[in-house]
Amino acid sequence: MTHPNPKTMGQQFGRRSWAEPWKIKMVEPLRVITRAERERALQDAGYNTFLLKSDDVYIDLLTDSGTNAMSDRQWAGMMLGDEAYAGSRNFYHLEDAMRKYYGYKHLVPTHQGRGAEHILSKVAIKDGQYVGGNMYFTTTRLHQELAGGTFVDVIIDEAHDPANLHPFKGNVDLNKVQKLIDEVGAQNIAYISLAATVNMAGGQPVSMANARALRELCSQHGIRVFLDATRAVENAFFIQEREADYQNKSLAEILHEFCSYTDGATMSAKKDSLANIGGWLALNDDVLFEEASNMVVVYEGLHTYGGMAGRDMEALAIGIVESVQDDHMRARIGQVRYLGELLTDWEIPIVRPVGGHAIFLDARAFYPHIPQDDFPAQTLAAELYLDSGIRSMERGIVSAGRNAKTGDHNRPKLELTRLTIPRRVYTQAHMDVVAESVKAVYDQRAKTRGLKMVFEPKYLRFFQARFERL
Ligand code: PM9
């Protein structure tokens, strides 16, 4: 009798699976409340998943922000926190890690990403200037507007189409940048805001060639480029996978080159960097850095902690190193893809190609009978919670807010509900449960009605708005 050879067994079955490059040392119990309890919780939360209590949630796919599982190394690093007010050793570890992997000259620590956006907007935007960007992000655009800037979308058209299979749907359309320069003049453009794996487009990457070409165009006109590096390592993965000449380069090498085409970066370290809190602003320009490090003491904390505890800076410094490991990222994006493939097999409309950090359900295609002003993506998030206790988030008309000048709703082409996957937290079995719940909600879609907004806060309304059923 011949025994199967474990090395070739997978091939024999025609499959080779990926697996997470870690094992689980500590677990956090999950609880599912009943459907009647979920109904009540949802009503109490005004049909806004941000207003649910986390104890009432089963699988939490609200965000990948600060929800990562830290490694044993990171937890060990927490014990090495130097909680000195000034000059904490952990700050220097963080500075070293940022310089080594992201390659910028100066580091300004902040409590999280929007702290960095606030400071960058204040030091780099003059009242009345324009900021071009590859699709808006909620907090980024708000800080640009509060600093007196006007955001102009310069992403390629393909990004606004959920079904378009362009491999780099996050790319900047250089013709749109040139048009902006021709219309307003280079001196009236504060900078171009380049986001890696564009969140609102579905976690879609930017190619290296596009970043390089943008740098060239902007240099010709003396315009700065600032990177939103929040998910730049995930972006590096797609470059390695899809762009010629990068297959044999490490993620760390790709990340370094990508950042080199920009003048600085804002970072929400709660995503790629596998931390639960933290952020930074990086700058190459000495004068801008001096202004920013003066500003940080006003809004965040001293320039060697910026609102973070020493232990958080240590966890973050270690997280940066872990985040650029190729096997980590393969498993991270592999898990997102696994869920995407299940849903695609079941013909559920999602944004494709599947991006880095989440599956985005196409709520327009899901609920063609619900007009955008009745909030289809918000409705879908509510229905999913009701079905199974899974928490997702709206990324459509509610997130897009109102036009700063006219006060009307911004009506984005993309009306999406995001299933965001925290890093190293859930297993493939959880993904199966999620897919099955989405399918159950999809099968009930014809009966579903929209929502009306009954409370609307002034800023970033998606966080706190309240709704009622129509
Ligand atoms: N992103 C997210 O869930 C958390 C807040 S919005 C729901 O996707 C980018 C690309 C982000 C981001 C946050 C920030 C702000 C900047 N850029 O949340 O302030 O995705 O750390 O970062 C969230 P902070």
Side-chain angles (χ1 to χ4, degrees):
M1 184 186 155
T2 54
H3 291 281
N5 174 353
K7 282 204 175 134
T8 55
M9 207 163 57
Q11 287 155 5
Q12 198 177 319
F13 299 141
R15 51 173 281 181
R16 301 293 281 170
S17 295
W18 56 270
E20 292 81 0
W22 38 259
K23 56 184 177 173
I24 297 165
K25 183 153 25 196
M26 189 188 283
V27 297
E28 185 180 340
L30 293 177
R31 189 175 77 109
V32 200
I33 58 174
T34 64
R35 188 176 172 104
E37 287 168 328
R38 292 199 292 274
E39 187 92 58
R40 206 169 319 119
L42 194 59
Q43 253 177 37
D44 290 348
Y47 295 86
N48 184 345
T49 50
F50 276 99
L51 301 180
L52 288 167
K53 290 181 182 152
S54 134
D55 278 346
D56 293 337
V57 171
Y58 172 37
I59 297 176
D60 201 347
L61 307 185
L62 182 73
T63 177
D64 62 331
S65 181
T67 53
N68 304 303
M70 293 208 296
S71 68
D72 51 359
R73 270 72 175 164
Q74 285 177 292
W75 280 108
M78 296 284 279
M79 296 307 292
L80 301 176
D82 168 10
E83 306 307 338
Y85 188 88
S88 159
R89 91 173 68 90
N90 313 114
F91 168 77
Y92 299 104
H93 294 168
L94 175 58
E95 191 182 49
D96 286 348
M98 185 287 289
R99 284 185 175 146
K100 179 167 178 197
Y101 292 102
Y102 291 84
Y104 300 108
K105 192 169 170 193
H106 301 294
L107 180 79
V108 182
T110 60
H111 75 285
Q112 60 183 81
R114 69 198 73 177
E117 291 169 345
H118 177 209
I119 291 170
L120 177 67
S121 301
K122 270 201 143 51
V123 299
I125 301 174
K126 291 198 197 79
D127 198 21
Q129 282 190 318
Y130 293 84
V131 183
N134 53 343
M135 201 171 273
Y136 85 97
F137 184 71
T138 51
T139 57
T140 322
R141 184 180 62 189
L142 178 61
H143 281 297
Q144 291 162 355
E145 287 175 354
L146 291 173
T150 300
F151 177 82
V152 180
D153 187 9
V154 294
I155 202 166
I156 57 172
D157 288 341
E158 288 86 338
H160 296 281
D161 174 1
N164 191 299
L165 293 177
H166 192 296
F168 289 103
K169 255 167 126 175
N171 277 357
V172 173
D173 184 334
L174 298 181
N175 292 325
K176 290 185 186 172
V177 178
Q178 185 62 58
K179 188 163 165 270
L180 181 64
I181 296 170
D182 295 342
E183 278 172 13
V184 306
Q187 73 285 3
N188 290 318
I189 299 175
Y191 55 89
I192 299 295
S193 183
L194 176 71
T197 50
V198 181
N199 194 349
M200 303 302 278
Q204 301 296 329
V206 176
S207 72
M208 191 71 88
N210 188 251
R212 200 181 299 124
L214 177 68
R215 165 86 276 165
E216 276 168 27
L217 176 64
C218 288
S219 295
Q220 282 162 22
H221 296 274
I223 300 170
R224 289 190 172 114
V225 179
F226 289 112
L227 177 67
D228 183 334
T230 297
R231 298 183 185 86
V233 190
E234 288 175 4
N235 199 96
F237 174 87
F238 290 106
I239 290 175
Q240 188 186 57
E241 181 184 65
R242 297 178 186 170
E243 202 163 348
D245 302 332
Y246 288 94
Q247 267 88 40
N248 296 322
K249 295 221 159 111
S250 67
L251 292 184
E253 288 170 310
I254 296 170
L255 177 70
H256 206 277
E257 181 184 338
F258 195 80
C259 294
S260 75
Y261 299 125
T262 64
D263 298 288
T266 54
M267 178 70 177
S268 170
K270 303 168 72 174
K271 283 83 163 175
D272 259 358
S273 301
L274 299 160
N276 298 129
I277 191 70
W280 43 262
L281 168 64
L283 295 163
N284 287 337
D285 184 277
D286 295 341
V287 177
L288 265 191
F289 168 64
E290 202 178 297
E291 278 179 56
S293 58
N294 190 205
M295 201 71 82
V296 83
V297 301
V298 181
Y299 293 107
E300 300 282 318
L302 196 76
H303 55 277
T304 54
Y305 76 85
M308 282 181 281
R311 54 181 168 268
D312 293 328
M313 291 191 280
E314 191 62 30
L316 172 45
I318 296 168
I320 289 176
V321 182
E322 293 181 0
S323 74
V324 299
Q325 304 307 314
D326 290 44
D327 58 351
H328 156 69
M329 196 50 81
R330 197 174 320 118
R332 190 281 185 278
I333 293 184
Q335 186 179 44
V336 177
R337 267 184 200 168
Y338 174 81
L339 177 58
E341 279 161 18
L342 275 183
L343 296 174
T344 308
D345 286 350
W346 296 343
E347 297 180 0
I348 291 166
I350 64 169
V351 174
R352 294 180 61 224
V354 168
H357 64 301
I359 297 300
F360 289 73
L361 303 171
D362 180 359
R364 272 182 202 275
F366 213 98
Y367 294 136
H369 57 289
I370 302 183
Q372 193 171 26
D373 282 20
D374 294 347
F375 311 111
Q378 187 79 31
T379 304
L380 178 48
E383 290 299 323
L384 251 182
Y385 174 73
L386 209 52
D387 179 71
S388 56
I390 290 166
R391 170 152 73 171
S392 58
M393 157 188 332
E394 195 264 10
R395 296 273 75 161
I397 186 170
V398 185
S399 295
R402 290 185 184 271
N403 182 296
K405 294 200 173 100
T406 66
D408 192 13
H409 288 302
N410 289 316
R411 291 187 179 78
K413 285 201 183 126
L414 296 175
E415 179 68 26
L416 310 172
T417 304
R418 190 180 73 174
L419 303 165
T420 337
I421 316 297
R423 296 163 189 80
R424 308 191 293 205
V425 171
Y426 292 113
T427 66
Q428 197 154 311
H430 290 111
M431 296 302 113
D432 290 336
V433 170
V434 171
E436 286 160 19
S437 177
V438 174
K439 175 82 168 80
V441 172
Y442 191 59
D443 291 344
Q444 298 291 314
R445 64 193 181 281
K447 289 195 289 196
T448 307
R449 297 253 157 71
L451 296 167
K452 67 173 175 190
M453 201 188 292
V454 293
F455 169 69
E456 179 177 358
K458 188 168 168 198
Y459 299 117
L460 303 174
R461 63 185 184 177
F462 61 95
F463 283 129
Q464 291 156 330
R466 300 184 72 85
F467 303 82
E468 281 173 6
R469 276 194 196 285
L470 279 175

